[in-house]
Amino acid sequence: MQLTLGPLQYFWHRDDVFKFYREAVQWPLDTIYLGETVCSKRRELGTRDWIALANELAESGHEIVLSSLALLEAESELSALTRLAENGRLRVEANDMSAVQILRERKLPFIGGPGLNVYNHVALRLLREDGMQRLVLGIELGRELLREFKDSGEPLPEFEVIAWGRLPLAYSARCYTARALDRSKDDCGFRCIDYPDGLPLKTREGSPFLTINGIQIQGGEYCDLAPDIAELQTAGIQLLRLYPQANDMAAVVARFRKTIDSGLPAQRVGLENGYWHGQAGRQQMPGDEVPDSAQAIISA
Amino acid sequence: MDLICPAGNLPALKTAIDHGASAVYIGFRDQTNARAFAGLNFSEDDMRQGIDYAHAHARKVYVALNTYPTSAHIRTWQNAVDRAAALDVDAIICADLGVLDYATRRHPDLPRHLSVQASATTHAALRYYRERFGIARAVMPRVLSLQQVERLCKRQVVPIEVFAFGSLCIMVEGRCQLSSYVTGVSPNRHGVCSPAKFVRWDEEPGGVRSVHLNNVLIDRYQAHEPAGYPTVCKGRYKIGDEIFHALEEPTSLNTLSLLPMLKAVGVAALKIEGRQRGLAYVGAVTRVWRQAIDQLEAQPNAAGDPAWQHELDAHAEGHQTTLGPYHRSWH
């Protein structure tokens, strides 16, 4: 079982990004994904900066992947995507069909991100023909659908699953951070930089529900599949994705690495991912209460 | 410019045709389409009658097959493609690569439209679907500004259809899992968003009503407040100390005032949302848009009838309308 660091979903200061990734290459990871996947207005690092940083990290010997934007609207975003595709060295994670097309037109192998809608083996076959070598399962794809992929008898790509972090649930043209701060998107002031782990959205009664991250909506809670690693392995998952958070990421990685290496089941720290069991994403299984001792590595 | 109208049953189809729809879009009575609601949609017999009625009036019928099947159930979607082809429909509207692939191979002469659920927002994405499946038209997600729609039309990859009126998905369609996060049921897989069987209304003291979706509080209404359907994106939530419609108000898209511009930029077809709506909605909304399109074509510089806006407002969700993403200030 391999460990990957998913792309940073939040907006951080440039220096913090460099510091984070220069530390990350010291962590026991196999693969590091990086790049802006949420909002093209976030320019602490531009596309060229991300490519340069990716090339620098590649010297460490890790597999480095450049992740692309999940929702493209403007011509400038397509140009940036083309620059990513033509980086000349590193594979790209395609997070929408624009990226798939730009990569297949150049006959470049790629990784399918969780933003692609792949629900059946025919879609999987077509994308493999297009050059997809690995699929990061979309959040709705649980163990049952993975079994259906296997039962189809199709040659399969590698499968990666989101094992730690907040689930990416939706994207919009609207910026919800700007809306919450009563600003227009065109004059957003890049205020999402003030929320390095997103902006919590609660129900009217104050229960945690969702997280606002610019134009993206995430689940409110951290999902944690560390206790399920043995089952994931049996199901055919080869890679576990851990999404970056502002604090304690080294501890998160170390915990997963220790669990894999020891072969012993981990105590649950975040919440279970209901989707994996074919349930509602936020559905919790019995005995899923997060122990107080776990709060140390859930920084929010 | 074509006017594409919704019909959830045979009477609605006839109403849409009678009031001037160029084409009507409909679905089978199962999970193969994105309005898989109880009591809605067409039996095969109704579909045949509807298609005959439309063709007798020289109009078209499109069948939406725009949900995403899993491997174990893909035969159901493939059968639906076969049934639509046998019924001689004028096009099918699809999103899934597997469904599109089957239709392209098995029924190459049956026109394929790309559903909004496919989330194709760029000319690169449209090229993918044209090259792989020869799509004849694409429906754009409700995320693009008018200027972005114009750029796409100018590329001429495929003719472009946009939403003109109706309930507004605030998230890019096909990429929203808010419903399944809360209920396990999703527009993509099950053709339903925030399904009614998970909705619970409670009366509280003072005439207050609260509404939960699978035990998540979506909103609470004072006695004087109109209550809306609890889709996750239209609830009121708490951010910091403030409670408000953090994602979107219960409001409808209405682009009537943009109609001349939509035509000028080269939009091929306008879509009216609302297969779940009643005959009064289908009739009134179709008639208003037909009159507006006809007048624009006959007298391009004439002002629209103010009564049109009033009529559309009366049929809008929450009786509020917005220009939505077409207008920058909405973002």
Side-chain angles (χ1 to χ4, degrees), chain A residues 70 72 75 98 101 104-105 115 117 119-121 129-130 140 148 169 171-172 174 176 179 186 202 204-205 275 282, chain B residues 69-72 96 121-123 127-128 132 155 170 172 174-175 177 180-181 186 219-220 238 245 247-249 328:
Chain A
L72 288 93
E75 205 60 35
S98 315
Q101 174 69 3
R104 83 192 264 272
E105 283 174 340
N117 279 329
Y119 287 92
N120 56 61
H121 63 284
E129 289 168 10
D130 294 328
E140 283 196 318
E148 289 182 17
L169 299 177
Y171 297 87
S172 174
R174 172 176 277 175
Y176 301 104
R179 180 177 172 85
D186 285 344
K202 298 177 175 175
R204 297 184 68 145
E205 288 170 329
Y275 284 118
R282 65 186 295 283
Chain B
T70 68
S71 292
D96 176 58
T121 52
T122 69
H123 55 85
R127 279 203 308 280
Y128 183 88
R132 270 225 174 260
R155 285 274 175 169
I170 182 89
V172 60
R175 315 270 292 278
Q177 317 296 358
S180 69
Y181 185 63
S186 73
D219 209 344
R220 177 175 284 149
K238 192 170 186 181
H245 287 108
L247 306 180
E248 175 63 318
E249 289 94 8
R328 283 303 302 183

Short mmCIF file of all heavy atoms in Angstrom, two decimals, chain A residues 70 72 75 98 101 104-105 115 117 119-121 129-130 140 148 169 171-172 174 176 179 186 202 204-205 275 282, chain B residues 69-72 96 121-123 127-128 132 155 170 172 174-175 177 180-181 186 219-220 238 245 247-249 328:
data_model
loop_
_atom_site.label_atom_id
_atom_site.label_comp_id
_atom_site.label_asym_id
_atom_site.label_seq_id
_atom_site.Cartn_x
_atom_site.Cartn_y
_atom_site.Cartn_z
N ALA A 70 -10.31 21.76 -10.95
CA ALA A 70 -11.51 20.91 -11.05
C ALA A 70 -12.60 21.54 -11.91
O ALA A 70 -13.33 20.84 -12.59
CB ALA A 70 -12.07 20.62 -9.66
N LEU A 72 -13.17 24.49 -14.79
CA LEU A 72 -12.58 25.49 -15.68
C LEU A 72 -13.69 26.28 -16.36
O LEU A 72 -14.69 25.72 -16.78
CB LEU A 72 -11.72 24.84 -16.77
CG LEU A 72 -10.40 24.25 -16.30
CD1 LEU A 72 -10.56 22.79 -15.95
CD2 LEU A 72 -9.34 24.43 -17.37
N GLU A 75 -10.74 31.11 -20.59
CA GLU A 75 -9.72 30.74 -21.57
C GLU A 75 -8.33 30.68 -20.90
O GLU A 75 -7.52 29.80 -21.19
CB GLU A 75 -9.73 31.81 -22.67
CG GLU A 75 -9.23 31.38 -24.01
CD GLU A 75 -10.01 30.24 -24.64
OE1 GLU A 75 -11.25 30.15 -24.47
OE2 GLU A 75 -9.35 29.43 -25.31
N SER A 98 -11.81 18.57 -19.59
CA SER A 98 -10.94 19.45 -20.37
C SER A 98 -9.50 18.94 -20.28
O SER A 98 -8.78 18.88 -21.28
CB SER A 98 -10.97 20.89 -19.84
OG SER A 98 -12.27 21.31 -19.57
N GLN A 101 -8.96 15.75 -22.29
CA GLN A 101 -8.83 16.00 -23.73
C GLN A 101 -7.45 16.57 -24.06
O GLN A 101 -6.79 16.14 -25.01
CB GLN A 101 -9.93 16.96 -24.19
CG GLN A 101 -9.82 17.41 -25.64
CD GLN A 101 -10.09 16.30 -26.63
OE1 GLN A 101 -10.43 15.17 -26.25
NE2 GLN A 101 -9.92 16.59 -27.92
N ARG A 104 -4.95 13.75 -23.76
CA ARG A 104 -5.05 12.70 -24.80
C ARG A 104 -4.63 13.24 -26.17
O ARG A 104 -4.05 12.51 -26.96
CB ARG A 104 -6.43 12.05 -24.82
CG ARG A 104 -7.50 12.79 -25.59
CD ARG A 104 -8.87 12.20 -25.29
NE ARG A 104 -9.30 11.22 -26.28
CZ ARG A 104 -9.97 11.51 -27.41
NH1 ARG A 104 -10.27 12.76 -27.71
NH2 ARG A 104 -10.34 10.56 -28.22
N GLU A 105 -4.91 14.52 -26.42
CA GLU A 105 -4.48 15.13 -27.68
C GLU A 105 -2.96 15.10 -27.82
O GLU A 105 -2.43 15.08 -28.92
CB GLU A 105 -4.97 16.58 -27.78
CG GLU A 105 -6.45 16.71 -28.12
CD GLU A 105 -6.98 18.15 -28.06
OE1 GLU A 105 -6.35 19.01 -27.41
OE2 GLU A 105 -8.02 18.40 -28.65
N GLY A 115 -12.40 14.28 -9.40
CA GLY A 115 -13.42 15.12 -10.03
C GLY A 115 -14.01 14.51 -11.28
O GLY A 115 -14.99 15.03 -11.82
N ASN A 117 -16.19 11.86 -13.43
CA ASN A 117 -17.32 10.98 -13.16
C ASN A 117 -17.08 9.63 -13.81
O ASN A 117 -17.31 9.45 -15.00
CB ASN A 117 -18.62 11.59 -13.67
CG ASN A 117 -19.18 12.61 -12.70
OD1 ASN A 117 -18.99 12.48 -11.49
ND2 ASN A 117 -19.84 13.61 -13.22
N TYR A 119 -18.26 5.90 -13.12
CA TYR A 119 -19.13 5.06 -12.30
C TYR A 119 -19.20 3.62 -12.80
O TYR A 119 -19.81 2.78 -12.17
CB TYR A 119 -20.54 5.64 -12.25
CG TYR A 119 -20.68 6.89 -11.39
CD1 TYR A 119 -20.54 8.16 -11.95
CD2 TYR A 119 -20.94 6.79 -10.04
CE1 TYR A 119 -20.69 9.29 -11.17
CE2 TYR A 119 -21.08 7.91 -9.25
CZ TYR A 119 -20.95 9.17 -9.81
OH TYR A 119 -21.08 10.29 -9.04
N ASN A 120 -18.63 3.34 -13.99
CA ASN A 120 -18.74 1.98 -14.52
C ASN A 120 -17.50 1.60 -15.33
O ASN A 120 -16.67 2.46 -15.67
CB ASN A 120 -20.02 1.83 -15.35
CG ASN A 120 -20.08 2.85 -16.48
OD1 ASN A 120 -19.21 2.85 -17.35
ND2 ASN A 120 -21.06 3.73 -16.46
N HIS A 121 -17.43 0.31 -15.67
CA HIS A 121 -16.22 -0.22 -16.30
C HIS A 121 -16.05 0.28 -17.74
O HIS A 121 -14.94 0.30 -18.25
CB HIS A 121 -16.24 -1.75 -16.27
CG HIS A 121 -17.37 -2.35 -17.05
ND1 HIS A 121 -18.66 -2.36 -16.58
CD2 HIS A 121 -17.41 -2.93 -18.27
CE1 HIS A 121 -19.45 -2.94 -17.47
NE2 HIS A 121 -18.72 -3.29 -18.51
N GLU A 129 -8.11 3.96 -22.48
CA GLU A 129 -7.70 4.18 -23.88
C GLU A 129 -7.15 5.59 -24.07
O GLU A 129 -6.25 5.81 -24.87
CB GLU A 129 -8.90 4.00 -24.83
CG GLU A 129 -9.39 2.58 -24.98
CD GLU A 129 -10.75 2.49 -25.68
OE1 GLU A 129 -11.23 3.53 -26.22
OE2 GLU A 129 -11.33 1.40 -25.68
N ASP A 130 -7.71 6.53 -23.31
CA ASP A 130 -7.25 7.93 -23.41
C ASP A 130 -5.89 8.14 -22.76
O ASP A 130 -5.27 9.19 -22.95
CB ASP A 130 -8.27 8.87 -22.74
CG ASP A 130 -9.62 8.89 -23.46
OD1 ASP A 130 -9.64 8.72 -24.68
OD2 ASP A 130 -10.64 9.08 -22.77
N GLU A 140 -18.13 9.22 -4.28
CA GLU A 140 -19.29 8.32 -4.19
C GLU A 140 -18.94 6.86 -4.44
O GLU A 140 -19.79 5.99 -4.28
CB GLU A 140 -20.35 8.73 -5.21
CG GLU A 140 -21.15 9.95 -4.80
CD GLU A 140 -22.42 10.08 -5.62
OE1 GLU A 140 -22.40 9.86 -6.84
OE2 GLU A 140 -23.44 10.42 -5.03
N GLU A 148 -17.61 -4.07 -8.39
CA GLU A 148 -18.21 -4.17 -9.73
C GLU A 148 -17.17 -3.93 -10.82
O GLU A 148 -17.19 -4.59 -11.86
CB GLU A 148 -19.37 -3.16 -9.88
CG GLU A 148 -20.60 -3.52 -9.06
CD GLU A 148 -21.75 -2.53 -9.28
OE1 GLU A 148 -21.73 -1.76 -10.27
OE2 GLU A 148 -22.68 -2.52 -8.45
N LEU A 169 -16.93 18.01 -1.92
CA LEU A 169 -18.32 17.64 -2.25
C LEU A 169 -18.89 18.35 -3.46
O LEU A 169 -19.74 17.81 -4.14
CB LEU A 169 -19.23 17.94 -1.05
CG LEU A 169 -18.94 17.21 0.26
CD1 LEU A 169 -19.92 17.70 1.34
CD2 LEU A 169 -19.07 15.71 0.08
N TYR A 171 -18.51 22.00 -6.42
CA TYR A 171 -17.82 23.19 -6.94
C TYR A 171 -18.87 24.11 -7.58
O TYR A 171 -19.89 23.63 -8.08
CB TYR A 171 -16.80 22.80 -8.01
CG TYR A 171 -15.70 21.92 -7.48
CD1 TYR A 171 -15.85 20.54 -7.44
CD2 TYR A 171 -14.52 22.48 -6.99
CE1 TYR A 171 -14.85 19.72 -6.94
CE2 TYR A 171 -13.52 21.67 -6.48
CZ TYR A 171 -13.69 20.29 -6.45
OH TYR A 171 -12.69 19.49 -5.95
N SER A 172 -18.58 25.39 -7.58
CA SER A 172 -19.55 26.35 -8.11
C SER A 172 -18.81 27.49 -8.80
O SER A 172 -17.61 27.69 -8.60
CB SER A 172 -20.38 26.92 -6.96
OG SER A 172 -21.22 27.95 -7.41
N ARG A 174 -19.72 30.35 -8.03
CA ARG A 174 -19.77 31.34 -6.95
C ARG A 174 -18.70 31.05 -5.90
O ARG A 174 -18.44 29.89 -5.60
CB ARG A 174 -21.16 31.29 -6.30
CG ARG A 174 -21.29 32.13 -5.08
CD ARG A 174 -22.70 32.12 -4.55
NE ARG A 174 -23.53 33.08 -5.26
CZ ARG A 174 -24.84 33.20 -5.06
NH1 ARG A 174 -25.45 32.40 -4.21
NH2 ARG A 174 -25.53 34.11 -5.71
N TYR A 176 -18.03 31.08 -2.12
CA TYR A 176 -18.80 31.13 -0.88
C TYR A 176 -18.04 31.81 0.25
O TYR A 176 -18.65 32.34 1.17
CB TYR A 176 -19.21 29.71 -0.47
CG TYR A 176 -20.05 29.06 -1.53
CD1 TYR A 176 -19.53 28.08 -2.36
CD2 TYR A 176 -21.36 29.49 -1.74
CE1 TYR A 176 -20.29 27.52 -3.37
CE2 TYR A 176 -22.13 28.93 -2.74
CZ TYR A 176 -21.59 27.95 -3.55
OH TYR A 176 -22.35 27.41 -4.55
N ARG A 179 -18.81 35.34 -0.43
CA ARG A 179 -20.22 35.57 -0.06
C ARG A 179 -20.37 35.69 1.46
O ARG A 179 -21.07 36.58 1.94
CB ARG A 179 -21.08 34.43 -0.59
CG ARG A 179 -22.56 34.53 -0.27
CD ARG A 179 -23.32 33.37 -0.93
NE ARG A 179 -24.71 33.29 -0.53
CZ ARG A 179 -25.70 33.98 -1.10
NH1 ARG A 179 -25.43 34.82 -2.09
NH2 ARG A 179 -26.95 33.85 -0.69
N ASP A 186 -15.41 39.10 -7.84
CA ASP A 186 -14.43 39.87 -8.60
C ASP A 186 -13.60 40.78 -7.71
O ASP A 186 -12.57 41.30 -8.12
CB ASP A 186 -15.14 40.69 -9.69
CG ASP A 186 -15.59 39.80 -10.85
OD1 ASP A 186 -15.10 38.66 -10.95
OD2 ASP A 186 -16.43 40.25 -11.66
N LYS A 202 -21.97 25.72 9.91
CA LYS A 202 -22.72 24.91 10.86
C LYS A 202 -24.21 25.02 10.58
O LYS A 202 -24.65 25.94 9.91
CB LYS A 202 -22.42 25.39 12.29
CG LYS A 202 -20.96 25.25 12.64
CD LYS A 202 -20.65 25.79 14.02
CE LYS A 202 -19.19 25.49 14.34
NZ LYS A 202 -18.76 26.08 15.59
N ARG A 204 -28.12 25.77 11.83
CA ARG A 204 -28.60 26.88 12.66
C ARG A 204 -28.45 26.57 14.14
O ARG A 204 -28.38 27.48 14.96
CB ARG A 204 -30.08 27.15 12.35
CG ARG A 204 -30.32 27.60 10.94
CD ARG A 204 -31.78 27.95 10.73
NE ARG A 204 -32.11 29.14 11.49
CZ ARG A 204 -32.97 30.08 11.09
NH1 ARG A 204 -33.58 29.95 9.93
NH2 ARG A 204 -33.22 31.12 11.83
N GLU A 205 -28.43 25.31 14.49
CA GLU A 205 -28.28 24.93 15.90
C GLU A 205 -26.81 24.81 16.30
O GLU A 205 -26.51 24.44 17.44
CB GLU A 205 -28.98 23.59 16.16
CG GLU A 205 -30.48 23.71 16.15
CD GLU A 205 -31.18 22.36 16.17
OE1 GLU A 205 -30.61 21.40 15.61
OE2 GLU A 205 -32.28 22.30 16.72
N TYR A 275 -19.56 6.79 2.51
CA TYR A 275 -19.60 6.41 1.10
C TYR A 275 -18.94 5.05 0.86
O TYR A 275 -19.38 4.28 0.03
CB TYR A 275 -18.87 7.43 0.23
CG TYR A 275 -19.61 8.73 -0.01
CD1 TYR A 275 -19.08 9.93 0.43
CD2 TYR A 275 -20.81 8.75 -0.71
CE1 TYR A 275 -19.71 11.14 0.18
CE2 TYR A 275 -21.45 9.96 -0.97
CZ TYR A 275 -20.90 11.15 -0.53
OH TYR A 275 -21.53 12.32 -0.79
N ARG A 282 -21.82 11.30 5.13
CA ARG A 282 -21.58 11.69 6.52
C ARG A 282 -22.13 10.67 7.52
O ARG A 282 -22.06 10.87 8.73
CB ARG A 282 -22.15 13.07 6.81
CG ARG A 282 -23.65 13.16 6.71
CD ARG A 282 -24.12 14.60 6.86
NE ARG A 282 -23.86 15.14 8.18
CZ ARG A 282 -24.57 14.86 9.28
NH1 ARG A 282 -25.59 14.02 9.21
NH2 ARG A 282 -24.28 15.42 10.43
N PRO B 69 -24.88 5.17 -14.69
CA PRO B 69 -25.07 3.79 -14.22
C PRO B 69 -23.78 3.20 -13.66
O PRO B 69 -22.68 3.53 -14.13
CB PRO B 69 -25.47 3.03 -15.48
CG PRO B 69 -24.85 3.81 -16.60
CD PRO B 69 -24.82 5.25 -16.15
N THR B 70 -23.93 2.32 -12.68
CA THR B 70 -22.77 1.54 -12.25
C THR B 70 -22.70 0.29 -13.14
O THR B 70 -23.63 -0.03 -13.87
CB THR B 70 -22.91 1.13 -10.77
OG1 THR B 70 -23.99 0.20 -10.66
CG2 THR B 70 -23.18 2.34 -9.90
N SER B 71 -21.59 -0.40 -13.04
CA SER B 71 -21.35 -1.54 -13.94
C SER B 71 -22.47 -2.58 -13.84
O SER B 71 -22.91 -3.14 -14.85
CB SER B 71 -20.01 -2.21 -13.60
OG SER B 71 -18.96 -1.34 -13.92
N ALA B 72 -22.93 -2.84 -12.61
CA ALA B 72 -23.92 -3.89 -12.42
C ALA B 72 -25.26 -3.55 -13.07
O ALA B 72 -26.05 -4.44 -13.35
CB ALA B 72 -24.13 -4.14 -10.92
N ASP B 96 -23.06 10.03 -19.17
CA ASP B 96 -22.07 9.00 -18.83
C ASP B 96 -21.31 8.52 -20.07
O ASP B 96 -21.90 8.29 -21.13
CB ASP B 96 -22.79 7.82 -18.18
CG ASP B 96 -21.84 6.67 -17.89
OD1 ASP B 96 -20.85 6.91 -17.16
OD2 ASP B 96 -22.05 5.57 -18.41
N THR B 121 -17.50 22.38 -19.58
CA THR B 121 -17.56 23.84 -19.49
C THR B 121 -16.57 24.53 -20.42
O THR B 121 -16.50 25.76 -20.42
CB THR B 121 -17.27 24.31 -18.05
OG1 THR B 121 -16.04 23.70 -17.63
CG2 THR B 121 -18.38 23.90 -17.10
N THR B 122 -15.77 23.76 -21.18
CA THR B 122 -14.78 24.39 -22.06
C THR B 122 -14.83 23.77 -23.45
O THR B 122 -15.37 22.68 -23.62
CB THR B 122 -13.35 24.17 -21.53
OG1 THR B 122 -13.02 22.78 -21.68
CG2 THR B 122 -13.21 24.57 -20.07
N HIS B 123 -14.19 24.45 -24.41
CA HIS B 123 -14.17 23.88 -25.76
C HIS B 123 -13.32 22.62 -25.82
O HIS B 123 -13.56 21.73 -26.64
CB HIS B 123 -13.74 24.91 -26.80
CG HIS B 123 -12.43 25.56 -26.55
ND1 HIS B 123 -11.24 25.00 -26.92
CD2 HIS B 123 -12.11 26.73 -25.94
CE1 HIS B 123 -10.25 25.80 -26.56
NE2 HIS B 123 -10.75 26.85 -25.96
N ARG B 127 -14.73 19.19 -27.22
CA ARG B 127 -14.02 18.42 -28.28
C ARG B 127 -13.95 16.95 -27.91
O ARG B 127 -14.07 16.08 -28.77
CB ARG B 127 -12.58 18.96 -28.48
CG ARG B 127 -12.48 20.19 -29.35
CD ARG B 127 -11.08 20.33 -29.95
NE ARG B 127 -9.99 20.26 -28.99
CZ ARG B 127 -9.59 21.26 -28.22
NH1 ARG B 127 -10.19 22.43 -28.29
NH2 ARG B 127 -8.59 21.11 -27.38
N TYR B 128 -13.73 16.67 -26.64
CA TYR B 128 -13.67 15.27 -26.21
C TYR B 128 -14.94 14.54 -26.61
O TYR B 128 -14.90 13.48 -27.24
CB TYR B 128 -13.47 15.18 -24.69
CG TYR B 128 -13.33 13.76 -24.20
CD1 TYR B 128 -12.09 13.13 -24.16
CD2 TYR B 128 -14.45 13.01 -23.85
CE1 TYR B 128 -11.96 11.82 -23.75
CE2 TYR B 128 -14.33 11.69 -23.44
CZ TYR B 128 -13.09 11.09 -23.39
OH TYR B 128 -12.96 9.79 -23.01
N ARG B 132 -15.20 11.71 -29.53
CA ARG B 132 -15.46 10.33 -29.10
C ARG B 132 -16.86 9.86 -29.46
O ARG B 132 -17.06 8.70 -29.80
CB ARG B 132 -15.25 10.22 -27.60
CG ARG B 132 -13.81 9.85 -27.21
CD ARG B 132 -13.90 8.80 -26.16
NE ARG B 132 -12.66 8.21 -25.73
CZ ARG B 132 -12.24 7.02 -26.18
NH1 ARG B 132 -12.90 6.39 -27.12
NH2 ARG B 132 -11.15 6.48 -25.68
N ARG B 155 -16.41 29.24 -30.85
CA ARG B 155 -15.52 28.12 -31.18
C ARG B 155 -16.17 27.12 -32.13
O ARG B 155 -15.48 26.35 -32.80
CB ARG B 155 -15.13 27.38 -29.89
CG ARG B 155 -14.13 28.13 -29.07
CD ARG B 155 -12.73 27.82 -29.55
NE ARG B 155 -11.75 28.63 -28.85
CZ ARG B 155 -10.45 28.41 -28.91
NH1 ARG B 155 -9.98 27.39 -29.61
NH2 ARG B 155 -9.63 29.19 -28.28
N ILE B 170 -26.94 25.60 -8.03
CA ILE B 170 -25.90 26.58 -7.70
C ILE B 170 -24.50 25.99 -7.93
O ILE B 170 -23.56 26.69 -8.23
CB ILE B 170 -26.07 27.04 -6.24
CG1 ILE B 170 -25.07 28.09 -5.84
CG2 ILE B 170 -26.00 25.90 -5.28
CD1 ILE B 170 -25.55 29.43 -6.12
N VAL B 172 -21.82 23.28 -9.96
CA VAL B 172 -21.70 22.77 -11.32
C VAL B 172 -22.36 21.39 -11.35
O VAL B 172 -22.08 20.52 -10.53
CB VAL B 172 -20.23 22.76 -11.82
CG1 VAL B 172 -19.34 21.89 -10.98
CG2 VAL B 172 -20.18 22.34 -13.28
N GLY B 174 -23.57 17.68 -12.07
CA GLY B 174 -22.80 16.46 -12.25
C GLY B 174 -21.60 16.35 -11.32
O GLY B 174 -20.95 15.33 -11.25
N ARG B 175 -21.33 17.44 -10.58
CA ARG B 175 -20.16 17.42 -9.69
C ARG B 175 -20.57 17.85 -8.29
O ARG B 175 -19.75 18.35 -7.54
CB ARG B 175 -19.09 18.39 -10.22
CG ARG B 175 -18.82 18.32 -11.71
CD ARG B 175 -17.74 17.32 -12.05
NE ARG B 175 -16.45 17.75 -11.58
CZ ARG B 175 -15.66 18.62 -12.21
NH1 ARG B 175 -16.05 19.16 -13.34
NH2 ARG B 175 -14.50 18.93 -11.73
N GLN B 177 -22.11 16.65 -4.70
CA GLN B 177 -22.44 15.49 -3.87
C GLN B 177 -23.07 15.91 -2.55
O GLN B 177 -23.03 15.15 -1.57
CB GLN B 177 -21.17 14.65 -3.59
CG GLN B 177 -20.27 14.46 -4.76
CD GLN B 177 -20.90 13.65 -5.89
OE1 GLN B 177 -22.04 13.20 -5.77
NE2 GLN B 177 -20.20 13.47 -6.98
N SER B 180 -25.92 13.44 -1.69
CA SER B 180 -25.49 12.09 -1.27
C SER B 180 -24.68 12.14 0.02
O SER B 180 -24.66 11.18 0.78
CB SER B 180 -24.72 11.37 -2.37
OG SER B 180 -23.46 11.95 -2.59
N TYR B 181 -24.05 13.26 0.30
CA TYR B 181 -23.32 13.39 1.56
C TYR B 181 -24.30 13.29 2.74
O TYR B 181 -24.00 12.70 3.77
CB TYR B 181 -22.60 14.74 1.60
CG TYR B 181 -21.70 14.95 2.80
CD1 TYR B 181 -20.60 14.13 3.02
CD2 TYR B 181 -21.92 15.99 3.69
CE1 TYR B 181 -19.76 14.32 4.11
CE2 TYR B 181 -21.09 16.20 4.78
CZ TYR B 181 -20.02 15.37 5.00
OH TYR B 181 -19.19 15.57 6.07
N SER B 186 -28.03 10.45 -4.79
CA SER B 186 -27.42 11.56 -5.53
C SER B 186 -28.08 11.77 -6.89
O SER B 186 -28.60 10.84 -7.49
CB SER B 186 -25.93 11.30 -5.73
OG SER B 186 -25.72 10.30 -6.71
N ASP B 219 -33.25 24.25 7.64
CA ASP B 219 -33.73 25.60 7.90
C ASP B 219 -34.83 25.57 8.94
O ASP B 219 -35.34 24.50 9.29
CB ASP B 219 -34.25 26.26 6.60
CG ASP B 219 -34.09 27.78 6.63
OD1 ASP B 219 -33.87 28.35 7.73
OD2 ASP B 219 -34.17 28.40 5.55
N ARG B 220 -35.14 26.77 9.41
CA ARG B 220 -36.22 26.93 10.39
C ARG B 220 -36.93 28.23 9.99
O ARG B 220 -36.27 29.22 9.69
CB ARG B 220 -35.60 27.04 11.78
CG ARG B 220 -36.61 27.28 12.88
CD ARG B 220 -35.92 27.25 14.23
NE ARG B 220 -35.62 25.89 14.66
CZ ARG B 220 -34.58 25.57 15.42
NH1 ARG B 220 -33.71 26.48 15.79
NH2 ARG B 220 -34.40 24.31 15.79
N LYS B 238 -25.12 28.63 9.69
CA LYS B 238 -24.40 29.55 10.57
C LYS B 238 -22.93 29.58 10.18
O LYS B 238 -22.28 28.53 10.16
CB LYS B 238 -24.56 29.04 12.01
CG LYS B 238 -24.14 30.01 13.07
CD LYS B 238 -24.59 29.45 14.43
CE LYS B 238 -24.31 30.45 15.52
NZ LYS B 238 -24.72 29.92 16.83
N HIS B 245 -28.52 32.47 4.12
CA HIS B 245 -28.44 31.53 3.00
C HIS B 245 -26.99 31.52 2.53
O HIS B 245 -26.61 32.26 1.63
CB HIS B 245 -29.37 31.96 1.86
CG HIS B 245 -30.82 31.73 2.16
ND1 HIS B 245 -31.70 32.75 2.42
CD2 HIS B 245 -31.55 30.58 2.24
CE1 HIS B 245 -32.91 32.24 2.65
NE2 HIS B 245 -32.85 30.93 2.54
N LEU B 247 -25.21 29.49 0.87
CA LEU B 247 -24.88 29.02 -0.48
C LEU B 247 -25.75 29.72 -1.52
O LEU B 247 -25.24 30.36 -2.43
CB LEU B 247 -25.03 27.50 -0.55
CG LEU B 247 -24.22 26.74 0.53
CD1 LEU B 247 -24.41 25.24 0.39
CD2 LEU B 247 -22.73 27.08 0.48
N GLU B 248 -27.08 29.61 -1.37
CA GLU B 248 -27.97 30.30 -2.31
C GLU B 248 -29.35 30.47 -1.71
O GLU B 248 -29.81 29.62 -0.94
CB GLU B 248 -28.05 29.50 -3.63
CG GLU B 248 -29.03 30.01 -4.66
CD GLU B 248 -28.73 31.41 -5.21
OE1 GLU B 248 -28.36 32.31 -4.44
OE2 GLU B 248 -28.88 31.60 -6.44
N GLU B 249 -30.00 31.58 -2.10
CA GLU B 249 -31.38 31.78 -1.72
C GLU B 249 -32.27 30.86 -2.55
O GLU B 249 -31.89 30.44 -3.63
CB GLU B 249 -31.83 33.23 -1.98
CG GLU B 249 -31.23 34.25 -1.05
CD GLU B 249 -29.97 34.88 -1.63
OE1 GLU B 249 -29.68 34.61 -2.80
OE2 GLU B 249 -29.28 35.60 -0.89
N ARG B 328 -22.05 38.82 -13.80
CA ARG B 328 -20.89 38.68 -12.92
C ARG B 328 -21.22 38.92 -11.45
O ARG B 328 -20.62 38.33 -10.56
CB ARG B 328 -19.77 39.65 -13.34
CG ARG B 328 -18.97 39.22 -14.55
CD ARG B 328 -18.29 37.87 -14.43
NE ARG B 328 -17.38 37.75 -13.30
CZ ARG B 328 -16.65 36.67 -13.07
NH1 ARG B 328 -16.71 35.64 -13.90
NH2 ARG B 328 -15.85 36.62 -12.04
#
